[in-house]
Amino acid sequence: MQNITVLSGGMGGARFLQGLLHGIACGRLPGVAPDASVTVVANTADDLWIHGLKVCPDLDTVMYTLGDGIDPGRGWGRRDETWSVKEELAAYGVEPTWFGLGDRDIATHLVRTQMLEAGYPLSEVTTALCRRWLAPAHAGRVRLLPMTDDRVETHVAIADPESASGRRVVHFQEYWVRLRAAVPAELLVFVGLDESTPGPGVIDAITDADLVVLPPSNPVVSVGTILGVPRLRDALVATKAPVVGLSPIVGGTHVRGMAEQMLTSVGVEVSAAGVGLHYGARTDGGVLDGWLVDEVDADQVARVEAAGLPCRAVPLMMTDPDATAAMAAAAIELVAR
Ligand code: FO1
């Protein structure tokens, strides 16, 4: 295998990619060439404009993680960050204060915003930013592509007894960061998704891949939005490459928390089998050729396989790059049979 494409959200996808690249570098992935290329198609529906800046959390989380610039504790933003701008904005009473941009991180958003305002599409801006972060660390073998250059935003309808409609709609980031996804998401609205077009290189990255991976990212607001870009799901269904996914749900909860509300709001059972069956088997109108669940969910394997989706139970906790590389190897073994 020479070309691997990963459809990624933020933290879960980035952590998986770290292990995948580690596995490639150490020759631990069966059938994968040591100089294999990895193309990341990243979710951009979490993006927001704030303080006049365009912020792309999932693109940046992947970029910083793979470029060794991420804050490992938070899993987002820059390591060794300082917060002077945030404090100064708060001192001026500038809202919102619930979404914090660090000083180092702001440089990324300034470059991105200036380039966008000069007329460059997000894909070209991302390539320019990645020259700093990905090129030195990965010798040009990792590409980061936004799922679309178009503006797409996930909005969430929540109950609001004080509004005439009984509901209020907030940006996904307000739901996730300010409200900590602690209230039911009554409705998810993917603004602009149906009218979006795949970013440059995205369809080819799926069509020409030797393997496509759905990492343990949020199946609704990360992988779900990527699959919602018109033509993208069709490309996945049609690709000759095997498509394998790894469950973000372990033991009935999301490994990195808070995804349950999102699954419930779109009527998907919060379980490893529920998410696998939500993606579905390619032989049955879905997108997957294989699904990995954690060992603690081994009792769900038979149910997934009964739906025609090959499934195995292996350790799925991404505790370090070795453990994550072993997950990637198991995923490849499952679909390379
Ligand atoms: N997450 C937080 O919990 N609080 C923040 O203030 C915050 C700021 C932030 C700034 C830039 C960025 O790229 C990400 C940031 N995140 C923050 C993380 C984040 O937005 C979410 O975890 C994801 O969008 C969900 O995948």
Side-chain angles (χ1 to χ4, degrees), residues 214 219 227 233 245-249 263 267-288 290-293 299-311:
L214 274 52
L227 295 180
R233 193 178 200 281
L246 297 92
S247 177
I249 304 286
L263 285 167
V268 177
E269 178 189 301
V270 185
S271 70
V275 176
L277 298 174
H278 166 65
Y279 287 137
R282 264 215 286 190
T283 51
D284 191 28
V287 296
L288 289 177
W291 183 240
L292 285 186
V293 301
D299 58 342
Q300 298 178 30
V301 169
R303 193 177 142 213
V304 175
E305 293 216 311
L309 181 56
C311 183

Side-chain angles (χ1 to χ4, degrees), residues 216-250:
S217 289
N218 189 306
V220 181
V221 292
S222 297
V223 178
T225 43
I226 297 174
L227 295 180
V229 175
R231 290 180 34 231
L232 205 145
R233 193 178 200 281
D234 295 341
L236 202 56
V237 170
T239 183
K240 289 193 191 68
V243 182
V244 64
L246 297 92
S247 177
I249 304 286
V250 171

Side-chain angles (χ1 to χ4, degrees), residues 11 46 55 57-58 76 98-101 105 173 176-177 180:
M11 287 181 220
D46 288 12
V55 179
D58 287 359
W76 54 267
W98 49 263
F99 197 81
L101 297 180
D105 194 28
Q173 293 295 346
W176 198 255
V177 173
R180 309 308 301 172

Side-chain angles (χ1 to χ4, degrees), residues 143-179:
R143 283 191 306 161
L144 178 58
L145 308 180
M147 66 185 198
T148 179
D149 276 338
D150 301 320
R151 182 169 175 171
V152 174
E153 282 183 13
T154 300
H155 291 187
V156 185
I158 55 171
D160 180 4
E162 283 168 27
S163 118
S165 66
R167 268 183 179 170
R168 187 160 62 93
V169 177
V170 297
H171 188 286
F172 170 76
Q173 293 295 346
E174 182 169 356
Y175 181 75
W176 198 255
V177 173
R178 187 173 80 81
L179 300 170

Side-chain angles (χ1 to χ4, degrees), residues 35-106:
D35 61 347
S37 300
V38 174
T39 302
V40 185
V41 176
N43 172 48
T44 57
D46 288 12
D47 295 6
L48 72 163
W49 283 88
I50 187 163
H51 308 308
L53 298 173
K54 172 77 165 178
V55 179
C56 302
D58 287 359
L59 284 172
D60 289 349
T61 297
V62 171
M63 184 174 79
Y64 292 155
T65 301
L66 301 187
D68 199 24
I70 198 83
D71 181 283
R74 286 193 308 273
W76 54 267
R78 291 286 308 281
R79 149 182 315 155
D80 301 327
E81 191 55 284
T82 54
W83 302 91
S84 301
V85 174
K86 181 181 184 219
E87 286 157 19
E88 290 296 315
L89 287 170
Y92 281 116
V94 174
E95 295 285 343
T97 51
W98 49 263
F99 197 81
L101 297 180
D103 301 335
R104 289 175 186 274
D105 194 28
I106 284 173

